[in-house]
Amino acid sequence: MKITTSRTPIKEVVKDASMLKQKEMMAAHYDRLANAKENGEKVASTFVPGNLNELIMCFDLVNNLPEVNAIQSGLRRKSGSYVMEAEKAGHSEDVCTYVKSDIGMMAKGNIGPNGKKLPDPDVLLLSYTGCFTFMKWFELLREQYQCETIFLQTPYMADGKVTPNMIQYMVKQLKEDVIPKLERVSGVKFDIDRLREYLRKSARAEDDLVYILQSAKNKPSPIDAYFGGIYYVGPIFGAFRGTDDAIDFYRFLREEVDQRIAAGLGPVTPDGPMADEKYRLVVEGPPNYTNFRQFWKMFYEEGAVVVASSYSKVGGTYDFGFRHDPDRPLETLAEYCLGVYTNRSLPMRVDMLTNYMNEYEADGLLINSIKSCNSFSAGQLLIMREVEKRTGKPAAFIETDLVDPRYFSAANVKNRLESYFQMVEQKRSGSGKGVAA
Amino acid sequence: MSTPSTTEIVARCEALFEDLNFTAAREWKDAEPGRKVIGYMPVYIPREIIHAAGMLPLGVLGGGDQLEVIHGDAYYQSYICRIPRSTIELGVSGRLDFVDGMLFPSICDVIRNLSGMWKMMFPDIYSKYFDVPQTYEDEVGGRFYENEMAEFRHDLEGIAGRKVTDQDLHNSIAAYNENRRFVRDLYALRAQKPWQVPAAEAYLVIRAGMVLPVEEHTKLIGEYLAAAEIEDRPMRDNCRVILTGMFCEQPPLNLIKSLELSGCYVVDDDLMLITRWLTEDVPTKGDPLHNLSQAFLHHSESTAAKYQPDLQEKGQHLVRAVRRTGAEGVIFASPSFCDPALLDRPMLQNVLKVAGIPYIAFKYAENSGQMQPIREQAGTFTDSIKLWSAA
Ligand code: SF4
Ligand code: SF4
C-alpha cells in the first residue's frame, strides 16, 4: 500500500497512500471553499475543539476552520510574515500566534493553501472549548466581517466530571440559540434525523480512528501518534466528521495500519519507513508547524516514535469510549465538546498522560511547550513532574511555537532531545535517575 | 470622636496592602472559633455567598513587587504572566495556610489551569473553578449560573457545617449593595475632583476591601470620603485619563503613582472590578441566587474576560466611561502575556479611534521596577493631549 516516490535529484517525501488520499480530500475541500460563493454555498467559520461539523452540514454550510488555515500557513512557511503583519497592525507580540497568523493572512488577501482566496464567512460559529482565546479570536473576526456570530459556551470540566447542569446548559444553547440562528443564516430547516444520520457516520469513523491510534500499543508501533497523528486526525477534526469520505478514509487507513502490523513495520516517515524503534514516547502539547519536517526528523533519526499524544485529542477524545451517539443527538454534541483534551482539568490531563505512559509502554514523556498557547502551556511543568513521579519514567521539556518561526530554535531543540534520549537510555539500563532534562 | 485623616486611613490601607501574610484576615479568623476564610482570584465571584455562610472572602491578587518568588518560577515558563507564579508562591510558602478554600474564577486559561494545579498541590483544601455564563438569556446562561451558585452554596454549607438560608443571603446582598454604593461614590468623587482623591489612595482604599470584612470596608470608604472631601489639596493642570487592562494581575503601586507624577489624573479604571462588578443594587427580596444571577446577566461590568454578544456594543463601555468622567484619553496598561487584555486591546482601540479618543498602551508586570519609560510615555501623552486641546 505504501507509495515510495522515485528518487529525483531533490529527495522526494515519502507518503502513505492514506496521506495522498487525505491530500486529495483537503484539496477538494479548499476548492469547495474557494468556489463557495460562485456555487451559492454559504460558509461557516468555526474551531477544531468544539467543531460541530454534523450540525453545520445539516444546514448545507461549508465548514472553514481558521486554525487549520493557520497550520497550512505554518507548513507553507507563510505564517511568520502573517504574524508580523498582525503585529504591525497593533497586535501584541505576547498573544496566541494562531490568531495573528489568521489575522495577518486576512490582511494579505486571505489566500488559501490552493492559491485561491478563501471566502468571507456568512456566519461565525463561535463554538469553542478548552481555550478562552477562541472567544477573542472570533470577536476579532466579527469586527472584520461584521457577520452573524453564534456563540456556544462549553463549561470547563474542572472537577473531572460532566454534570447534568453542564449538559442542560449546552443543549439549551443549541436548541434556543444556535440552531434557530443557523436556520436563519442558511435558510435551511433543521432536521434532527439528518443530524442523527451524520452522527451515526461519525461514530463509524471514530471507531476506526481509535483502532488506528491504539495500534501504537504494538511493538514496533506501526504509527507515529504525534507527527503522523496529525495526519490521522485531520479529516475527523476538520470538515469531514460525519461524512462518507471520513468513513472510507479511516477504513483505508486502518487496513494500511493492519498491513504494517502484520509485516512488523514501524511508521512511515518523510524519509521512508522508520527502521528501528528505539524509544517510545508520549508527547504532550501541540507541535511546531513552521519546521515540522525538521522537528519530526529529530525524532525518527534517533529511532524515537511517539506512541501517544495529547494533541491528537484536541478535536475530540475518543479513546476512553466516547462516540457520537445518534440516539441523543444534542446531548452527544455537548459531551463531545466537554470531553476535548484542553477542556479537561489539569488532574485529568495528568491521569490521561500517565495512562498513556503505562498502556503504551512508553519510555518517557516529552512536553513541547508552545510559547503562545496558555491553554496548553500553563501548568505543564507541574504535569511533567507529576507524570514523572507516578510513572518513574523520565520526562523532558522543550519550548517552541506553533506557527511563529521566531520561536523555533533547531539547535536548542536538538540538543535537548539528544540529551533526553541519552537519559532514557540510561534509565532503561538502570543507571540513571529520573530527573527532567 | 475625631474622624481619621486621609493620611491615617491610607496608612492603614497601605499596611494591609503590604502585608503578604494577610495578618488582618488571620486575626479575623482567630477572633472566634469556627471562622473560615475563602480566598478568591480575579475577576469576579459572588462574595455574597461566602459572606452569607459566615465566612470571610479574601482577595488573592498575586504577590506584588515585594514578594520574592522562589518556588513559583519552577511552575511556569517565562512566557506566562506573573500572577499565577506569585500566587503559587503565596501557597507554597505557607502564607495562605489559614485559608479554608480557594476560588479560581473563569477569566482565562491561566487561572483556569491554576485551579487544577491547586487541587494537585493542596489536595486537602477546598478549591473550585468558578464558572460563569458567557450567554445572557435568563433561561439559558441564567439558569446555568444559578445552578453553579447553588452548588457553591451547598459546598460552603458543608465547610461551615450549617445551612445558608435565603435570609442570610439577603442580608449579605444588602451588605455588598451598600459597599458597592460607597465604592461608586468614591469613584464618582475621584472623577469629579481627582486632585482630592489621588489614584494611589483610591487604589489602596479599594484594595483594603480584598482583606477586610465588607462592613468594615464600607465604613473605611465612608471615612475616607469624608476626609478626602475636606482635605485641602491643590488642583494641578493634569490630564484626565482612564486606565484599562488591569483587571487581573495588579500593577505595582509605583506605576499608579508614576502616572500621576507624569501629569495624569486617573478618573476611572478597571482595577479590582469585583468591587463594582454589579452595577446596580441587587434586590433583597425573592430568590437571592436568582437575583444575583439577574444582576450578573443584565447589570454587570464589561471586561475582556466576558463575551460581548453585540458587535455594536463592543468597547462602548469605555467610550461611555470617557464621556461620563470627562476623560481626555485612555491608557491601556496590561500585564505582559495576558491574552484576554492584549487580544481585546486592538478592538477597544478601534472603537476609541472612531470616537476620536486618544490613547496609549504599555505592558507591565506586578513586579516591574523600572518606571522611567512609563513615566516618559505617559508624560508625552499628556503633553500631546494638552497641545490638541489648546489647538
Ligand atoms: S491559545 Fe492555544 S488552544 Fe487557544 S487558540 Fe491559541 S493555539 Fe489554540
Ligand atoms: S494576567 Fe491575564 S493571562 Fe494572567 S492570569 Fe490574569 S487574566 Fe489570565
Side-chain angles (χ1 to χ4, degrees), chain A residues 374, chain B residues 81 83-84 107-111 247-249 335 337-341:
Chain A
N374 284 345
Chain B
C81 59
I83 183 169
I107 173 172
C108 76
D109 298 316
V110 174
I111 288 189
F247 51 85
C248 182
E249 181 171 317
F337 307 109
C338 177
D339 257 34

Side-chain angles (χ1 to χ4, degrees), chain A residues 86-238:
Chain A
E87 288 177 4
K88 258 201 302 197
H91 287 269
S92 166
E93 65 270 30
D94 288 358
V95 301
C96 169
T97 49
Y98 260 16
V99 180
K100 286 185 287 187
S101 174
D102 188 33
I103 286 177
M105 179 166 134
M106 269 161 45
K108 288 194 164 184
N110 224 8
I111 305 301
N114 55 1
K116 297 179 194 155
K117 189 182 174 303
L118 285 162
D120 288 358
D122 296 282
V123 56
L124 296 167
L125 179 52
L126 179 39
S127 163
Y128 70 98
T129 172
C131 168
F132 277 82
T133 295
F134 290 127
M135 187 167 92
K136 295 289 113 186
W137 189 342
F138 268 20
E139 279 192 338
L140 285 159
L141 292 197
R142 179 181 63 180
E143 187 191 39
Q144 178 82 19
Y145 293 119
Q146 312 256 330
C147 66
E148 173 103 54
T149 305
I150 308 176
F151 189 90
L152 175 71
Q153 184 187 1
T154 302
Y156 183 55
M157 247 212 273
D159 293 327
K161 57 179 195 286
V162 170
T163 64
N165 192 35
M166 293 174 180
I167 300 283
Q168 280 158 19
Y169 178 40
M170 293 193 71
V171 169
K172 266 196 211 160
Q173 291 179 75
L174 287 168
K175 272 191 189 157
E176 291 180 24
D177 197 46
V178 177
I179 290 172
K181 282 183 179 157
L182 284 171
E183 282 183 328
R184 196 175 67 222
V185 172
S186 65
V188 175
K189 192 144 180 44
F190 177 58
D191 173 0
I192 200 153
D193 290 323
R194 192 172 167 192
L195 177 62
R196 285 183 213 276
E197 189 49 34
Y198 292 140
L199 292 167
R200 200 164 287 122
K201 290 183 182 176
S202 296
R204 281 180 60 192
E206 286 156 6
D207 279 341
D208 283 337
L209 170 73
V210 170
Y211 178 89
I212 291 152
L213 292 177
Q214 292 187 340
S215 73
K217 290 182 185 175
N218 286 282
K219 287 185 180 176
S221 168
I223 63 160
D224 182 287
Y226 186 52
F227 298 103
I230 284 151
Y231 293 100
Y232 304 150
V233 296
I236 211 152
F237 282 10

